[in-house]
Amino acid sequence: MGKPVREYLLTLCITAAVTYLLTGPVRKFAIVAGAMPEIRARDVHREPTPRLGGIAMFFGLCAGLLVADHLTNLNEVFAKSNEPRALLSGAALIWLIGVLDDKFEIDALIKLGGQMIAAGVMVMQGLTILWLPIPGVGNVALTQWQGTLLTVALVVITINAVNFVDGLDGLAAGMVCIAAAAFFLYAYRVWVSYGIEAAAPATLFAAILMGMCLGFLPHNMHPARIFMGDSGSMLIGLVLAAGAISITGQVDPDALALFTGSEKAAVHQTVPVYIPLLLPLTIIAVPAADLVLAIVRRTWRGQSPFAADRGHLHHRLLEIGHSHSRAVLIMYFWSALIGFGALAYSVNSASMWIVLGVVFLSAVGLVLLLLPRFTPRVPRWAQRFVPPRYRRRRPAPEAVTAARAEAADGERDGADRDGEERSPVAAGVSGVNGATAIGARSRFPDRR
């Protein structure tokens, strides 16, 4: 089987094009169908926005699989493996549940049950974890029940991690796209470097997932014209989990041992990415951390783990003082740093430059997080090189002259009206010159 890079690129482009072109009609359909819920207390948008964006993403998935099935090299993935059909079956079920939730707001436990059923459907068709590569031990075969439970757990965790992070315009689609890009490079490397064709389905899933997210992002960036809803967030979470299951539990480390000398050495070589992919993925560590923190926070308060609140990571970024767009970009930065950092470490774990680069970029990320907490004073010679919010501003001379003239006129009018002398009162004292009962307030805004 060849290495069809161009066919993967074609599949990605077709998926993105179909998703992009269908999102507009889906938006009109969502408005007509009434899938525009009122703004809730935890929402950050100010106007009712239609959901059901997952409809366009699902048809993009179908188009990508259909195109890949008719390509020369990618057709062998469908001929030798049943995983694409298993993915389509589970995706159709989880998508249907998401559409019903976007329209009728079904109960959280019902959605959880649907997620488990969708994972079970994929297991029944062969998309399951068969063994685990354990460092220091080697290849550990799993029983049927162990593989089923672990597969269902991974699917449910990944779906809810993506669903929880879908709180800002373009956040979930962008983060999953970054994760899919890192995952594609890793899966393609396993396939090309070791000649393992069992990694081909995971590579295909990652390419299609990137196309789904890239096609939907132009409609979902701030200010969003449509939301993906649960029909989209649960769908892309399931596709990402399916790729992780395919490459983690289906690729036999014995094949890697042919190139490294022993099975244990092969597992040790790939452990930087193999083990973190299981719970659920290193490349979506940020959504997974948000999921764990949300569960701990809600159960600590005595609430249900599925009770909605405004304590997610993106909400905290907004509370710190970041704008909507900057909060999304910061989440993109951390997702890319963790995902591509793990990818680089898996390629060459002995390189100290990779570790130093990750540490340096982590420090940069921490500085970006704390930017709203301080406003550095920039020297006047460097003000032209920094954003306007960090520049020193002087009040306009005309404004200062007008303020002084109006204050003098006010004092003369008051003296003439009362017929007696008054001691001058400084501007800003309560009750004088536009001050309110709450506190001093100048009539002219401070432009500095």
Side-chain angles (χ1 to χ4, degrees):
M1 184 176 180
K3 309 301 185 296
V5 179
R6 289 178 294 181
E7 294 187 359
Y8 278 127
L9 182 60
L10 177 62
T11 303
L12 187 154
C13 293
I14 294 295
T15 305
V18 172
T19 304
Y20 176 80
L21 294 176
L22 288 180
T23 303
V26 167
R27 179 179 181 273
K28 297 181 180 179
F29 169 76
I31 295 175
V32 174
M36 294 179 61
E38 296 182 357
I39 299 177
R40 301 161 295 186
R42 68 178 187 271
D43 293 333
V44 297
H45 58 281
R46 299 180 179 180
E47 298 180 0
T49 306
R51 296 182 180 179
L52 294 178
I55 296 179
M57 304 179 79
F58 177 74
F59 283 104
L61 169 68
C62 296
L65 291 175
L66 182 62
V67 169
D69 189 20
H70 288 79
L71 295 178
T72 304
N73 291 319
L74 295 185
N75 182 41
E76 298 186 21
V77 176
F78 296 83
K80 297 182 179 180
S81 173
N82 197 43
E83 294 180 11
R85 300 175 185 85
L87 170 65
L88 185 59
S89 301
L93 181 57
I94 202 69
W95 169 75
L96 180 60
I97 296 173
V99 169
L100 295 177
D101 180 67
D102 290 340
K103 181 63 177 69
F104 302 106
E105 294 283 346
I106 62 178
D107 187 72
L109 292 179
I110 296 179
K111 288 195 295 183
L112 179 62
Q115 295 168 6
M116 298 175 67
I117 294 175
V121 169
M122 294 194 300
V123 171
M124 292 175 59
Q125 299 189 50
L127 187 57
T128 183
I129 298 176
L130 302 177
W131 45 68
L132 288 179
I134 306 298
V137 177
N139 187 22
V140 177
L142 301 177
T143 63
Q144 182 178 359
W145 282 105
Q146 290 174 341
T148 301
L149 292 177
L150 189 58
T151 303
V152 172
L154 177 58
V155 171
V156 172
I157 289 174
T158 308
I159 289 176
N160 286 281
V162 176
N163 191 19
F164 276 27
V165 82
D166 184 24
L168 297 179
D169 298 346
L171 182 58
M175 293 182 66
V176 173
C177 184
I178 294 172
F183 187 75
F184 175 84
L185 294 176
Y186 172 72
Y188 191 79
R189 172 179 174 267
V190 172
W191 179 20
V192 173
S193 299
Y194 299 101
I196 302 176
E197 296 185 0
T203 312
L204 175 63
F205 297 165
I208 293 177
L209 183 57
M210 279 192 289
M212 295 166 60
C213 296
L214 290 175
F216 185 73
L217 265 177
H219 300 274
N220 191 233
M221 295 301 293
H222 182 70
R225 301 179 66 250
I226 185 174
F227 294 152
M228 67 172 64
D230 284 0
S231 59
S233 61
M234 293 196 300
L235 175 64
I236 60 178
L238 181 136
V239 176
L240 189 57
I245 293 169
S246 176
I247 197 169
T248 305
Q250 298 284 330
V251 175
D252 189 357
D254 289 338
L256 302 179
L258 298 175
F259 298 88
T260 56
S262 67
E263 181 179 340
K264 292 184 179 181
V267 173
H268 178 73
Q269 181 179 356
T270 57
V271 69
V273 177
Y274 258 110
I275 297 304
L277 279 173
L278 295 177
L279 200 63
L281 292 168
T282 297
I283 50 184
I284 58 166
V286 175
D290 192 16
L291 171 66
V292 174
L293 292 175
I295 294 176
V296 173
R297 180 178 63 253
R298 294 167 184 175
T299 54
W300 183 266
R301 297 175 181 173
Q303 300 176 344
S304 169
F306 303 100
D309 58 13
R310 289 181 60 89
H312 293 288
L313 296 178
H314 50 271
H315 290 139
R316 296 184 181 274
L317 289 175
L318 295 178
E319 292 175 358
I320 290 175
H322 291 286
S323 64
H324 191 292
S325 300
R326 189 161 58 185
V328 172
L329 292 177
I330 289 176
M331 297 287 282
Y332 285 177
F333 174 83
W334 283 104
S335 298
L337 176 61
I338 296 175
F340 288 98
L343 175 65
Y345 187 70
S346 67
V347 174
N348 187 4
S349 58
S351 177
M352 184 59 63
W353 289 106
I354 296 177
V355 178
L356 294 178
V358 171
V359 172
F360 173 76
L361 292 176
S362 300
V364 173
L366 292 176
V367 173
L368 294 176
L369 286 176
L370 299 176
L371 271 181
R373 293 299 186 184
F374 65 93
T375 303
R377 295 185 177 181
V378 181
R380 299 191 184 280
W381 59 268
Q383 290 186 11
R384 66 180 63 182
F385 304 107
V386 297
R389 66 187 301 263
Y390 299 116
R391 300 175 186 174
R392 298 180 181 180
R393 293 185 178 181
R394 295 181 177 179
E398 296 80 3
V400 176
T401 304
R404 292 176 179 176
E406 187 170 347
D409 293 340
E411 291 180 3
R412 287 194 299 268
D413 292 342
D416 295 339
R417 184 173 57 253
D418 296 339
E420 60 181 6
E421 291 188 9
R422 292 187 180 183
S423 58
V425 183
V429 178
S430 179
V432 181
N433 293 341
T436 63
I438 299 177
R441 184 183 66 188
S442 175
R443 298 179 64 182
F444 299 94
D446 187 6
R447 299 180 179 271
R448 288 176 297 179

